[in-house]
Every structure is written in C-alpha cells, then in structure tokens.
C-alpha cells in the first residue's frame, strides 16, 4: 500500500458534508442502529451544527477485564472504573481498574512467557504467520472494531472504519513481514578473529498508549515488539480501554501464546507508574504528553535504568508561502488542525501565512470553519465529534478564553456546542502573536491560530522557537524554498505540499521535547532489539 493522506482516505465519505442533519440523515451500515436525543447549536459564531439524534451502536462489549497470561481476569482489588461515551458523558461500561498488584501479575506472566515460553524461541516465520492471521481477523471484524472505537473515543465512525482500522491491518502485515528479516552482521576486524552481531529481543516490553488513536497506537507499539520476539505488558488509556481488549482477543485466536501480550487498564499514577518503575520490565515505550513523558523517563531511570522511547507533544508549524494555491492550502490547513477534533500530536496548530495572502487566507479559513459539521460521529456528513472527556473539553475552553484575554481576534467558534457531551465549536483566531499561550502550548482541540510572517528567515526562526519538534508542513511552489525549509526546520517529519501522510514504513517521532526514538518503519525495530557482539579466534584462517 502506498503512503496516503488521511484526508484523501476520508474525502469521499465527507464530501457530502452540509450544515444540516437530523432524523433524515442516513444511518451507517450495521453494527449501527438506534437513535436517541441529541444537541443543538445556537451560537452566532458557528453555523456548523443542527438538531441531531444520536445513534447508539449495536456493538456487544464482551471484554472489560484485564488480560493476563492469556485469560481475562478481574482486578486484584476487585475495583472497576467507568468508561464514557464522549457524546453524552454517559457510562458505556465498567472496566477493571488496575494497580501495582495487577502490573506485577502481568509482568510475571510476560517474564515467564519470555524466559520459558515458545514465542522468543519460535521460528521467525511462524511469528510472521500468526501476525498475518491476526491482521486477517481484524479485517474481518472491521466494522465492529470501528464502531467500538468511535463509541469509546468520539471519533468519526467513517474515519475509524475506512482509515484507522485498515491502517491497523496494514501495520501488522508490515511488521509480520519484518519478523523473518531481522538478523545481524558478519564484521571484519583486525587480527585472526571471527566477529558477528546478533540482534536479540530485548525482553519484557512495557508500553503505555494514549486515548486519541487507541488502535493505531496499539499497532505502533505492539507490532514491532512482537515481530522482534518480545513479550509485552500494555497499559491502555483509562478513557479508551475497550478496543485494545477486543483486538487482543483476536490476536490470541490467531495463535499468540499465553503471556506474550498482557493488558492492564487503569490510571497513570497507579498502573502506569507501576509499569514504568517495575524492576523486571526491560524496555519502556510511552506516547502521551511531554510533561507525563518526563515523569515516565524519571521513573524508568530511578528503577532499573530501562531504555525508554517517547512519542510526545507537538506544536507543529504549518507554513504557507505567497505563491501557494490558497484554496487548496486552506482546505489542507483546516484538516491539519481540526482532524480528530484537533486531538492529534502533530496537528498543524501554528498556521504561519505570508503577509501578502494573509487576509484572503484568513477569510477563507474562517468560512471553512463555519461550514464544518459538528455532531454525532456515527452520522454521515459529520466532520467533527466531541472531545474525549470533560477534562479535555474544559482545557480547550480555557485556552480559547486565554486567546481572547490576550487580545487575539476570535473569528469564529469559541464556545461549547449543545448542552450534552463534550462538543466544542470549530474555533479560529487571527492576529495571534508568538508569545500567546494559544501559540505556545499544545491545546489538543479544534482551535486554529493563524499568524502572519514576512520572509523565509523570519518564519524559520519563529517556527523553530518552540520546545517541540514533532512535525511541520511547508506549502510553496518554489523548489529552493522547499529545500531550505526541509533542512532548516527542527522537526521529525516535514511534509512538503501535503500534511498527515502516514505509512507503515515512514518513521515518526520528534526532535527536542517531542520525544526520543522513532515509531514505525525499520527504525521502530531498533527499539525492541539488543545488539550482541560475538568474537571468537580463528586458527589458520583461509581468509580474513
């Protein structure tokens, strides 16, 4: 599969977006069905939503316990916590709440499976076949998994069904292909010695994933770890634990031995901290906020100095030069920021526009935001669902107030939508200055900030003046400008005349405080392997 943009994958399904929806809106295919009361927008700054009835997905929730040693089990304490529907704030299910004892049980199972189980000793080809069977099973259950993902997360059903679950499948097939291609080297050395390197699985991998892309982050973490022959303890985000448990069940149906993948649901300060500081975890991977990443790194260092990879926050510049196609770039900039309700670490959240086209770009961006359809993510034509929970919802509204208080110009949006759930109006600010919080902090919500620049040297300096360095976008028809920016911007990914292009083979990660290490591609395998040098003398060698 060639690399493709998420916007292209979704363009057909969202091309019919309009400002109205309701009882006559088409229902998506099974497993969706029942409708209930919805929301209404009355704010003069936004015309993107209307009265809606919510669709209740017809999905059975069968897995709410921890997965330890191949079995679903209750928390040691017997505690559970509610996981919510972001559209309403109502409880979907109660999930086992993990703590240190549950982490201990999961790590013990993973250690036994690594030290004495079949997975690391299995032929690489057989591991490949299990991962391929798993990908086939996920593909077969595409709609069910997508519906559960959308229900638990608030993301668009069509986004999950047509882009994210297929990308999940693609990632596991990609890593299945790597399983039997991991090998060392024969190294020439001075003297009569035979030198070789072995690439060995690192052991028990602790993994902590976020709530904004639960399935994809599962694939980014679990895929390479399994391909390399490791065993895993995965801590899911407390907001979105359901799909990881469902796909893990399918992975065991595909032939994964017990104890190889263990999943504990729970909170960061308890389950997450216990995993990060566990003395029998050999490697740690975390995706989330930069501040939490600091804590994870500190806990790992203070325990057994386990190696850590971090994929953290971003405040990515989206740079538009005067010769760019304005209509096209306005649409890309809109998607780059508002995709997934703005809950994307690489969102193009600092939109730098050349002063000669700034006014036109701003007016068209405002018009596009006003047309954005916000509502039930299970309905066709809807472009934006709710924020993940009340905490994130309130955080976004605080940043919007900060922007107003700092004298940025609120062009549209700026408030909540409806009286139920966690919906935020698509919001656009102009006259944004670099020292404003909305231009410095990762908002993680549907808030576009549009800044003006004069020349290339200025925008390079301003784009790099951030603690983050995850991604950047550059829009120009000048080859020299593109070549300069791709080298000058201190970011792990630079998209030229495109944005949000993801592929299993393309590495992803950040400079500066956006993280350590890379996800996806061949680089991700390095995170889960130890390199061992083996040296032995040669007596009367035929050649050196």
């Amino acid at each position: 599969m060639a690399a493709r943009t998420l916007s292209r994958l979704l363009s057909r399904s969202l091309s019919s977006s309009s400002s109205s929806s309701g009882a006559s809106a088409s229902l998506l295919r099974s497993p969706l069905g029942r409708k209930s009361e919805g929301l209404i927008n009355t704010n003069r700054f936004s015309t993107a939503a209307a009265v809606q009835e919510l669709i209740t997905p017809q999905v059975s929730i069968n897995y709410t316990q921890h997965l330890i040693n191949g079995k679903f089990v209750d928390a040691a304490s017997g505690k559970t916590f509610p996981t919510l529907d972001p559209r309403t704030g109502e409880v979907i299910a109660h999930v086992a709440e993990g703590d240190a004892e549950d982490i201990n049980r999961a790590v013990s199972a993973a250690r036994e499976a690594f030290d004495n189980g079949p997975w690391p000793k299995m032929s690489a080809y057989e591991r490949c076949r299990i991962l391929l069977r798993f990908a086939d099973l996920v593909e077969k259950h595409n709609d069910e998994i997508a519906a559960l993902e959308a229900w638990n997360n608030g993301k668009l059903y069509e986004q999950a069904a047509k882009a994210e679950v297929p990308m999940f499948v693609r990632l596991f097939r990609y890593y299945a292909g790597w399983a039997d291609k991991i090998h060392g080297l024969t190294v020439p050395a001075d003297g009569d010695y035979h030198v070789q390197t072995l690439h060995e699985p690192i052991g028990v991998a602790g993994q902590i994933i976020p709530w904004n892309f639960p399935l994809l982050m599962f694939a980014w973490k679990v895929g390479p770890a399994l391909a390399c022959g490791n065993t895993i303890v995965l801590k899911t985000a407390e907001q979105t634990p359901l799909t990881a448990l469902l796909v893990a069940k399918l992975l065991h149906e595909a032939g994964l031995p017990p104890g190889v993948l263990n999943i504990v649901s729970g909170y960061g300060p308890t389950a997450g901290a216990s995993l990060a500081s566990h003395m029998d975890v050999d490697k740690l991977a975390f995706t989330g906020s930069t501040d939490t990443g600091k804590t994870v790194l500190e806990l790992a260092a203070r325990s057994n100095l386990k190696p850590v990879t971090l994929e953290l926050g971003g405040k990515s510049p989206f740079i538009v030069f005067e010769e760019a196609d304005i209509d096209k770039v306005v649409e890309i900039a809109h998607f780059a920021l508002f995709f997934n309700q703005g809950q994307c670490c690489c969102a193009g959240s600092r939109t730098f526009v050349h002063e000669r086209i700034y006014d036109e770009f701003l007016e068209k961006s405002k018009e596009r935001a006003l047309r954005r359809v916000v509502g039930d993510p299970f309905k066709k034509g809807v472009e934006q669902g709710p924020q993940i929970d009340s905490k994130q919802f309130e955080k976004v509204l605080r940043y919007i107030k900060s922007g107003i208080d700092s004298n940025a110009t609120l062009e549209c949006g700026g408030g909540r939508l409806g009286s139920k759930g966690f919906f935020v109006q698509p919001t656009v600010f102009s006259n944004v200055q670099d020292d404003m919080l909305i231009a410095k902090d990762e908002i993680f919500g549907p808030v576009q900030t549009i800044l003006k620049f004069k020349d290339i040297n200025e925008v390079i300096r301003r784009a790099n003046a951030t603690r983050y360095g995850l991604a950047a976008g550059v829009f120009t028809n000048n080859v020299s400008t593109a070549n300069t920016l791709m080298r000058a911007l201190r970011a792990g990914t630079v998209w030229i005349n495109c944005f949000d292009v993801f592929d299993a083979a393309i590495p992803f990660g950040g400079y500066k405080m956006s993280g350590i290490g890379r996800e996806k591609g061949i680089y991700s395998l390095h995170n889960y392997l130890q390199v061992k040098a083996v040296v032995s003398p040669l007596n009367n060698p035929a050649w050196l």
Side-chain angles (χ1 to χ4, degrees):
M1 177 188 291
R4 63 186 68 184
T5 63
L6 286 168
S7 54
R8 188 179 306 159
L9 285 166
L10 295 170
S11 61
R12 291 184 180 179
S13 63
L14 300 182
S15 62
S16 60
S17 297
S18 65
S19 62
S20 64
S21 58
S24 61
S26 299
L27 301 186
L28 301 178
R29 64 188 181 279
S30 179
L32 312 180
R34 294 197 308 270
K35 294 180 281 185
S36 61
E37 64 178 277
L39 53 93
I40 186 171
N41 169 43
T42 58
N43 190 293
R44 66 185 180 88
F45 281 93
S46 178
T47 59
V51 177
Q52 296 201 353
E53 292 178 323
L54 301 181
I55 297 171
T56 301
Q58 301 303 290
V59 181
S60 297
I61 300 175
N62 299 317
Y63 309 108
T64 59
Q65 299 168 290
H66 301 319
L67 175 64
I68 298 177
N69 203 28
K71 297 179 180 179
F72 287 100
V73 297
D74 291 332
S77 66
K79 292 182 180 179
T80 63
F81 65 91
T83 185
L84 307 179
D85 181 345
R87 302 174 303 167
T88 63
E90 297 172 354
V91 176
I92 297 175
H94 288 86
V95 179
E97 181 182 335
D99 56 23
E101 179 56 31
D102 301 291
I103 293 295
N104 284 336
R105 290 193 294 164
V107 171
S108 294
R111 173 56 60 195
E112 176 65 21
F114 184 77
D115 290 345
N116 300 309
W119 186 252
K121 302 175 181 65
M122 185 183 295
S123 75
Y125 178 57
E126 184 56 31
R127 288 202 302 269
C128 165
R129 294 178 64 195
I130 290 172
L131 295 180
L132 289 175
R133 286 198 294 269
F134 170 56
D136 291 343
L137 283 171
V138 171
E139 195 168 53
K140 180 180 178 180
H141 291 270
N142 183 95
D143 293 356
E144 174 190 0
I145 296 168
L148 188 58
E149 183 85 334
W151 193 11
N152 199 188
N153 178 273
K155 66 173 71 252
L156 304 184
Y157 170 76
E158 291 197 356
Q159 174 184 319
K162 296 184 178 181
E164 294 186 17
V165 178
M167 288 175 70
F168 180 99
V169 171
R170 176 67 180 95
L171 282 158
F172 269 94
R173 287 179 176 152
Y174 174 83
Y175 286 115
W178 266 116
D180 60 356
K181 299 170 186 66
I182 297 169
H183 52 76
L185 302 171
T186 300
V187 182
D190 294 341
D192 294 347
Y193 297 98
H194 173 75
V195 182
Q196 66 184 94
T197 60
L198 303 177
H199 290 183
E200 300 179 343
I202 202 165
V204 176
Q207 302 180 327
I208 303 173
I209 60 175
W211 48 259
N212 56 334
F213 293 97
L215 281 171
L216 291 180
M217 295 303 99
F218 180 106
W220 286 20
K221 297 285 191 294
V222 172
L226 292 183
C228 293
N230 298 281
T231 60
I232 299 167
V233 177
L234 178 74
K235 206 287 284 185
T236 55
E238 59 269 25
Q239 298 90 340
T240 54
L242 298 178
T243 47
L245 295 168
L246 174 56
V247 297
K249 174 64 174 176
L250 297 178
L251 185 48
H252 284 80
E253 288 183 18
L256 190 73
V260 175
L261 173 62
N262 306 272
I263 299 179
V264 175
S265 305
Y267 296 96
T270 50
S274 296
L275 183 60
S277 58
H278 204 287
M279 294 295 292
D280 211 19
V281 171
D282 299 308
K283 185 265 181 300
L284 193 65
F286 170 81
T287 294
S289 72
T290 294
D291 288 342
T292 304
K294 291 180 181 180
T295 301
V296 167
L297 189 60
E298 181 180 2
L299 291 172
R302 286 186 173 183
S303 55
N304 59 344
L305 206 62
K306 60 180 72 64
V308 180
T309 49
L310 302 170
E311 197 263 284
L312 305 176
K315 193 70 176 175
S316 300
F318 185 105
I319 303 170
V320 185
F321 285 88
E322 60 182 307
E323 70 275 7
D325 182 332
I326 293 182
D327 291 335
K328 180 178 179 181
V329 178
V330 162
E331 186 62 33
I332 298 174
H334 180 84
F335 184 85
L337 187 283
F338 291 100
F339 169 64
N340 205 53
Q341 294 67 255
Q343 298 170 156
C344 187
C345 56
C346 60
S349 52
R350 290 184 295 152
T351 307
F352 289 98
V353 181
H354 194 278
E355 61 182 4
R356 292 179 184 170
I357 61 170
Y358 182 88
D359 291 341
E360 181 183 357
F361 187 96
L362 172 61
E363 187 59 31
K364 290 181 176 180
S365 295
K366 175 183 175 180
E367 292 173 358
R368 179 63 182 91
L370 287 169
R371 295 198 309 272
R372 187 169 183 81
V373 181
V374 183
D376 185 353
F378 284 101
K379 287 198 171 185
K380 286 186 176 180
V382 168
E383 297 175 280
Q384 180 178 314
Q387 308 309 121
I388 185 66
D389 59 13
S390 61
K391 181 180 178 181
Q392 187 64 23
F393 170 80
E394 291 164 2
K395 173 188 172 185
V396 173
L397 294 182
R398 284 197 302 271
Y399 273 112
I400 291 173
K401 183 179 184 301
S402 166
I404 295 171
D405 292 345
S406 61
N407 294 320
T409 302
L410 178 65
E411 297 288 346
C412 65
R416 80 172 298 162
L417 182 63
S419 59
K420 197 173 187 180
F422 311 123
F423 296 86
V424 176
Q425 294 172 329
T427 299
V428 176
F429 278 105
S430 64
N431 297 316
V432 179
Q433 304 303 313
D434 293 348
D435 60 351
M436 296 177 180
L437 287 181
I438 59 172
K440 296 194 300 182
D441 291 1
E442 185 178 36
I443 300 173
F444 230 59
V447 182
Q448 185 177 29
T449 61
I450 304 181
L451 305 93
K452 185 185 297 184
F453 76 92
K454 293 182 179 181
D455 59 53
I456 187 171
N457 292 326
E458 174 200 339
V459 80
I460 289 172
R461 174 182 55 80
R462 293 171 63 193
N464 285 335
T466 172
R467 63 176 181 160
Y468 298 114
L470 191 56
V474 177
F475 293 82
T476 177
N477 294 329
N478 186 309
V479 174
S480 178
T481 298
N483 283 332
T484 297
L485 268 291
M486 72 173 67
R487 289 165 172 79
L489 294 174
R490 293 185 55 76
T493 299
V494 179
W495 287 297
I496 306 293
N497 294 324
C498 59
F499 207 88
D500 279 343
V501 178
F502 296 97
D503 185 90
I506 300 175
F508 186 82
Y511 284 33
K512 298 186 281 188
M513 294 179 74
S514 285
I516 300 170
R518 293 295 180 267
E519 309 270 8
K520 300 192 291 126
I522 188 173
Y523 297 93
S524 64
L525 301 174
H526 302 168
N527 302 332
Y528 296 98
L529 293 169
Q530 290 280 23
V531 177
K532 178 184 289 181
V534 180
V535 183
S536 58
L538 291 171
N539 296 318
N540 192 27
W543 53 267
L544 285 175

